[in-house]
Amino acid sequence: MSALITIDASGFRPAALWADLKDLAGSDARLFAFAKRAAWVLVPLTLAIVVGVFGTGPEPRRNWYGDMLGNDFSQVWVAGRSALEGRGGEPYDLPVHLENLKAAFGPECRFAWHYPPVFLMPAAAFAILEPQPAFLLWTALSLAVFTWAMRFAAGRRDAAWMAVAHPLVYCTLSYGQNGLFTAALLTFGTLLVDRRPWLAGLCFGLLAYKPHFAALAPLLLLITGRRACLTSCLATVLALCLASLALFGTAPWIGFVGTLGETNRIILQKAAAGLELNASAFGAVRLWGGPIAAAWALQAVVAALALGLAIRAWTKPAEPNLRAAALLAAAPLLSPYLPVYDLVPLVPATLLLVLTAHRAGGLRRHERAFLLATPLFALLREGAGLTGVPFGLVLGLAALACIADRIRPSGSLDGQHSALV
C-alpha cells in the first residue's frame, strides 16, 4: 500500500504536496486507505470526548463544559422520570416540564418536549438509572446498534468502521440525541424489506417516536404493494400506541395533540433552538432572513425532489443498495425541521452509494468530491452560523444528487476507476 501523503524530508515543497493530494483525491484505493487509517484515530477520539467531556463533569449532573450532563439527553431522562412516577402528561405541559428540568439539572436546562408518547417508554426505561449511567448506557447502545447496522449494510468491518468515524456520528453522540437509532432502524428496514418483510416492517414501525422520519417508508410500501411489510409496520405502530396508553394513560396523548400547534410555533416560527441548527430548506430561508412563506415554498420544492427520487428508486428497476440509499437520503429532507444531528441517515446512504460504486467499477468524479467534503459535516452548525451558508442542506442535496445520478439509467462512468482494496 502506498504512503498516504509524502513530503520530502529535505524541505517543504508545496507543489509536491499539492500533486500528492491530487493523487490521493483521484485514487479510490488511496482514498479508501486514508479513510481507514483516519477512522482508527477518529473513533476512539470520538468516544473519549463524548464519554469523558459530555458524560462526566466536576459537578453532579454537569459536564466539563458546565452544561447539562448528556446535553439533550437530560430532557429524555426528565420526561422518562415523570412517566416512571405516574406523571406522563407533565412533559407536554411546558411550564411544568421546564420546572422539572430546572429541578433536575438547573435553570439553564430549557427544552420543550415534542415527542409522541410512544417515546416515553424507552425514556422511562433509561430514567430507572441516575442521569450519568443512563447517558453512558444510551451512548453505548446507540453506538452499538448503529455499528451493527453499518456492518450489516457493508458486509465488511473496515467499511462499517469508517462509517462510525463520520463526523455526524460524533455530532449526534455529543448532543445526546437519538439519531443513531433512527439511522440504524431505517437502514435495517430498507435492506430487509424484500428478504424479511415482517422484520423490516417492525424496524419501520419502531420509528413511530419520530413521525416525520417514519412517514416515508409506509408510503413507499403502499405504492409498491409490499403488503406484508406495510402490515407489520402498521401493526407495530398500533402496538406501541396501545402500550403507551396502557402504561401512561390518556394524559400524554391528550397533551401531545394539544401541543402540536405550540410545537410549530416554537420550532419553526420562533426557531427557539437557533436558526443555524435547522439544516432543512425551510431553515435555510429563515437563516437568510427570508419570510415564512418563502421558507415553506423552498421546503416544498426540496421535499418534492426528495420524494420524487425515493419513489423513482422504489418503483423502477434499481439496485437494492441504491433503493435503500434513496430512502435514507430523502427522509431527512422531507421535514421542515431538520436539526444537524438528524442528518445522520446520510451516513448509511453514503456507505451504500460507495459500495454500489465499488461494484460498478469505481467512484465517479463528483462522488469522490462528495466524499472529500465529508469533514465539512463537522462544521454544520458553526459554519452556518458564521457564514450564513446552510452546509447541512447543501451536503444533503449533494448526497441526493449522487444517488440520483447512479439511479439514472443513462449515467455513465467517468473518472479513474480503481479497486478500493
Side-chain angles (χ1 to χ4, degrees):
M1 186 179 295
S2 60
L4 295 180
I5 297 178
T6 58
I7 302 178
D8 190 344
S10 62
F12 176 67
R13 294 185 176 182
L17 177 60
W18 177 247
D20 200 46
L21 288 171
K22 285 181 64 177
D23 182 61
L24 171 64
S27 167
D28 288 5
R30 291 196 67 196
L31 188 59
F32 182 83
F34 180 83
K36 184 159 62 172
R37 293 188 183 184
W40 283 107
V41 175
L42 292 174
V43 173
L45 182 62
T46 292
L47 288 174
I49 293 174
V50 171
V51 173
V53 176
F54 298 107
T56 62
E59 302 176 22
R61 302 190 179 186
R62 292 278 170 175
N63 62 31
W64 287 98
Y65 276 116
D67 297 328
M68 297 73 67
L69 193 70
N71 289 328
D72 290 7
F73 177 75
S74 59
Q75 84 149 336
V76 175
W77 186 88
V78 168
R81 181 55 65 96
S82 296
L84 199 62
E85 295 175 352
R87 299 176 283 110
E90 288 188 357
Y92 302 96
D93 187 333
L94 185 57
V96 175
H97 183 57
L98 291 176
E99 284 299 316
N100 291 340
L101 291 171
K102 179 180 177 181
F105 292 96
E108 299 87 1
C109 189
R110 298 181 60 83
F111 299 107
W113 181 259
H114 306 295
Y115 291 102
V118 296
F119 195 53
L120 290 176
M121 290 186 285
F126 282 97
I128 294 173
L129 303 173
E130 286 300 304
Q132 184 178 44
F135 171 68
L136 295 177
L137 178 61
W138 171 271
T139 298
L141 283 178
S142 62
L143 191 59
V145 171
F146 180 78
T147 303
W148 180 22
M150 297 307 98
R151 178 69 175 83
F152 179 76
R156 47 193 294 178
R157 294 178 182 176
D158 51 2
W161 189 248
M162 285 183 279
V164 175
H166 198 285
L168 282 173
V169 175
Y170 167 76
C171 175
T172 305
L173 290 174
S174 65
Y175 274 97
Q177 274 289 341
N178 52 37
L180 296 185
F181 290 114
T182 302
L185 288 171
L186 281 172
T187 301
F188 281 126
T190 54
L191 294 176
L192 290 170
V193 69
D194 290 326
R195 286 181 282 172
R196 299 286 190 274
W198 289 97
L199 183 56
L202 173 67
C203 292
F204 289 139
L206 289 174
L207 285 167
Y209 66 89
K210 218 152 196 173
H212 52 300
F213 272 67
L216 179 58
L219 175 62
L220 295 175
L221 296 176
L222 178 64
I223 291 174
T224 57
R226 289 177 165 87
R227 295 181 181 177
C229 191
L230 180 60
T231 300
S232 175
C233 174
L234 297 179
T236 301
V237 174
L238 179 60
L240 290 173
C241 294
L242 292 175
S244 69
L245 276 170
L247 289 170
F248 310 122
T250 59
W253 282 101
I254 294 172
F256 173 66
V257 173
T259 58
L260 291 178
E262 186 71 3
T263 294
N264 173 68
R265 185 183 69 83
I266 292 173
I267 288 182
L268 296 180
Q269 295 182 27
K270 291 184 63 177
L275 290 171
E276 74 283 356
L277 180 69
N278 190 358
S280 70
F282 183 98
V285 175
R286 298 295 288 151
L287 180 67
W288 297 328
I292 294 288
W296 278 116
L298 183 60
Q299 178 61 40
V301 171
V302 170
L305 290 173
L307 182 60
L309 173 64
I311 293 175
R312 167 66 179 81
W314 280 66
T315 57
K316 303 294 182 181
E319 187 176 334
N321 276 0
L322 285 178
R323 185 181 64 200
L327 187 152
L328 286 159
L333 297 177
L334 297 179
S335 174
Y337 182 61
L338 181 60
V340 292
Y341 44 74
D342 273 345
L343 283 167
V344 75
L346 293 180
V347 179
T350 302
L351 174 62
L352 293 169
L353 173 68
V354 171
L355 293 171
T356 300
H358 175 44
R359 285 193 294 271
L363 293 167
R364 297 172 183 171
R365 192 174 292 111
H366 55 276
E367 293 168 343
R368 198 176 295 115
F370 174 66
L371 291 180
L372 289 170
T374 296
L376 292 176
F377 280 99
L379 305 171
L380 294 184
R381 184 169 189 175
E382 292 77 6
L386 290 172
T387 66
V389 177
F391 289 106
L393 177 63
V394 171
L395 292 169
L397 289 174
L400 204 68
C402 289
I403 295 166
D405 185 61
R406 279 282 169 184
I407 293 173
R408 184 167 54 92
S410 60
S412 59
L413 295 175
D414 56 25
Q416 178 181 345
H417 301 323
S418 57
L420 291 179
V421 291

